[in-house]
Amino acid sequence: MTPSTPSTLASHIITSFTQWGQQGLAALSSPMFYLQLLAVAAAIGLAWWLSQRLKQRLQLILHTHPNQTDAHATHNVNRWQHLWQTPLAVLQGLAFPLSNILLLALVLSVFNALEQPLWLIKIAQSWAIIVFIFFLVKHAIHNVFISALLKWIGIPLAALYQFDLLSPTVQFLDNISFSVGDIRISVFAVLRLLVFGAVLFWLGRITNHYGQSLIRSKQTLDIRTREVFAKLFEIGLFLIIFLVLLQGVGIDLTALAVFGGALGVGIGFGLQQIASNFISGLIILLDKSIALGNYIEMEDGKAGTLTKLSMRSTSLQTFDGKVIVVPNERFITTAFTNWTHDDPRQRYSLTFAVAYDSDIPAIPKLILDAVKQHPQVLLEPELPDCEIIEFADSGVVFQLEYWIADIDDGKNRVGSDLFMIIWQTLHDNKISIPFPQREVRILNPQPPVPTDITRPGH
């Protein structure tokens, strides 16, 4: 029967269940039915007993502790338990359904050799497989996508196959269709596209992750070349998946010519910014203006370490844990500062003041000798320098210039350490740090007003 409408499919289901009911009622009067029922019950009971014994053995193995006085044995057992703990724990959860399938298969082979009816045993084995899939999802599969795929697609398909409704259901869904030009689209084709598309793109994401990791691990290539190849690999992989998916669902690729023209118009208007950011990302990777690990400061003052280059945007990690997402187009159309493009070494300066009565000529040498002891202060390309920059109102102002091998912020904060070194050096040499002093002078003082006024007559 080929169901093409909901009523036809419903009548097919009712007919099938009616036939099964009649066969079941007829089988109740047959001794072979009770023999099969006894064999199935015995197989299930034996599977339960074997699974409980197996679980006890596995539990004992998983909780075995070596003699604590033997360090070598302790290390070996702990290593063995670490390697096998997860598979054994999974086997514990699957012990009953797996034993049930194996014993029912044994019963099926025995009845088949005796040339006896097998329908009840086949039904029991089919349900055992469904139960096995359920336990597999529950105990063994921790990936959310695979678990959902088996739970919502694998189990219903197994149930439909068990009741001999899979082919009628597929035919029914395939008959619900409409045509767009030469392309025929059915409900079954759409569902198949969604399922296989989800599987293909999930596999593509995993492949892309490992492929890009492999490319980025090639130290023989410079970091910019690795990023270019990684992005080209990602684009090519998902393009191939998209074409395979279309071909797999029966869509003729030559029919995509109109779609390609419409896509081009869409890129010219609505998708202009997306296309611009995508092309800008490729230009950035090819022109070598920025690379992963560079410290970038944008025109608006936002700055951070470049941690990710994607097809649409670039991520800058700030020292306070925030991530700034910058569209790739910004690096093409606006100015930015790459602090660590060719040379990670940077020069910084800080100022301090001393009192006028200090030994001014001796101060630069004292400060430089102390500052050079800091492990992050570089002696090249230039030595640290300390010089007078101003005779201020309260004291003489010095400026210290120094080089370090990274950005003076975050974990590489050097300025604070150098201020502490300067203060300690001045303090040890009895050199005071001035602070503003104000002298208040009162001009044309008035005579004080008497507070004790005696009233007349008193």
Side-chain angles (χ1 to χ4, degrees), residues 95-349:
F96 171 67
L98 191 59
S99 302
N100 196 15
I101 291 176
L102 295 177
L103 290 175
L104 286 174
L106 179 61
V107 171
L108 184 66
S109 63
V110 171
F111 272 76
N112 191 27
L114 296 176
E115 298 182 354
Q116 297 298 327
L118 305 172
W119 63 273
L120 183 59
I121 301 174
K122 288 183 177 180
I123 292 176
Q125 190 179 42
S126 300
W127 280 110
I129 293 174
I130 295 175
V131 172
F132 174 76
I133 296 175
F134 177 79
F135 274 80
L136 186 68
V137 172
K138 183 178 180 181
H139 295 284
I141 298 178
H142 303 289
N143 184 278
V144 177
F145 176 79
I146 297 297
S147 176
L149 190 68
L150 290 176
K151 184 184 298 182
W152 300 108
I153 297 178
I155 294 179
L157 287 178
L160 288 174
Y161 179 79
Q162 159 62 32
F163 289 106
D164 198 22
L165 294 174
L166 183 59
S167 295
T169 303
V170 169
Q171 187 64 34
F172 169 71
L173 294 176
D174 188 61
N175 288 333
I176 304 176
S177 63
F178 62 94
S179 298
V180 179
D182 295 333
I183 302 176
R184 179 179 178 274
I185 301 176
S186 65
V187 174
F188 175 70
V190 172
L191 294 176
R192 186 176 60 177
L193 176 65
L194 292 176
V195 173
F196 283 100
V199 173
L200 283 176
F201 278 98
W202 176 74
L203 293 175
R205 187 179 63 178
I206 295 177
T207 305
N208 178 56
H209 172 73
Y210 285 105
Q212 289 195 346
S213 300
L214 181 63
I215 293 173
R216 291 190 175 106
S217 65
K218 299 297 181 181
Q219 299 301 323
T220 54
L221 302 174
D222 63 87
I223 188 170
R224 297 180 181 88
T225 304
R226 293 200 298 267
E227 286 300 317
V228 171
F229 282 131
K231 293 306 170 187
L232 292 178
F233 174 79
E234 180 180 11
I235 295 169
L237 176 65
F238 283 102
L239 180 61
I240 291 173
I241 290 175
F242 180 71
L243 295 177
V244 169
L245 182 61
L246 292 180
Q247 192 72 27
V249 296
I251 297 178
D252 187 4
L253 297 182
T254 58
L256 296 178
V258 177
F259 175 75
L263 180 62
V265 175
I267 291 176
F269 291 97
L271 303 179
Q272 182 179 4
Q273 291 299 115
I274 297 177
S276 175
N277 286 320
F278 174 75
I279 297 173
S280 298
L282 294 178
I283 294 174
I284 290 170
L285 292 171
L286 292 173
D287 70 1
K288 302 180 179 182
S289 58
I290 61 175
L292 294 179
N294 288 162
Y295 187 81
I296 308 296
E297 183 178 0
M298 303 303 297
E299 194 175 26
D300 56 4
K302 294 183 174 64
T305 302
L306 198 154
T307 57
K308 182 180 180 182
L309 283 168
S310 63
M311 291 188 294
R312 188 195 68 85
S313 61
T314 299
S315 299
L316 303 180
Q317 179 81 41
T318 64
F319 290 112
D320 54 359
K322 298 180 178 63
V323 175
I324 304 173
V325 180
V326 183
N328 291 331
E329 186 184 14
R330 291 276 304 276
F331 292 97
I332 304 298
T333 59
T334 62
F336 64 91
T337 302
N338 191 338
W339 286 61
T340 56
H341 181 248
D342 295 322
D343 193 345
R345 297 175 298 183
Q346 306 292 323
R347 189 179 75 167
Y348 293 91
S349 63

Side-chain angles (χ1 to χ4, degrees), residues 51-122:
S51 65
Q52 294 302 314
R53 295 295 301 271
L54 181 59
K55 286 181 180 179
Q56 292 176 1
R57 291 294 183 92
L58 294 176
Q59 193 76 12
L60 182 63
I61 294 174
L62 289 174
H63 293 82
T64 298
H65 297 284
N67 187 357
Q68 300 298 325
T69 59
D70 190 349
H72 182 69
T74 302
H75 174 73
N76 289 337
V77 172
N78 288 338
R79 182 180 179 183
W80 184 87
Q81 286 181 341
H82 177 72
L83 291 175
W84 292 98
Q85 187 171 12
T86 300
L88 292 179
V90 170
L91 186 58
Q92 274 189 309
L94 299 178
F96 171 67
L98 191 59
S99 302
N100 196 15
I101 291 176
L102 295 177
L103 290 175
L104 286 174
L106 179 61
V107 171
L108 184 66
S109 63
V110 171
F111 272 76
N112 191 27
L114 296 176
E115 298 182 354
Q116 297 298 327
L118 305 172
W119 63 273
L120 183 59
I121 301 174
K122 288 183 177 180

Side-chain angles (χ1 to χ4, degrees), residues 6-33:
S7 59
T8 305
L9 180 63
S11 63
H12 178 83
I13 295 174
I14 294 173
T15 302
S16 298
F17 276 100
T18 302
Q19 292 175 352
W20 295 333
Q22 292 173 353
Q23 293 175 359
L25 291 175
L28 291 176
S29 60
S30 172
M32 187 55 61
F33 168 79

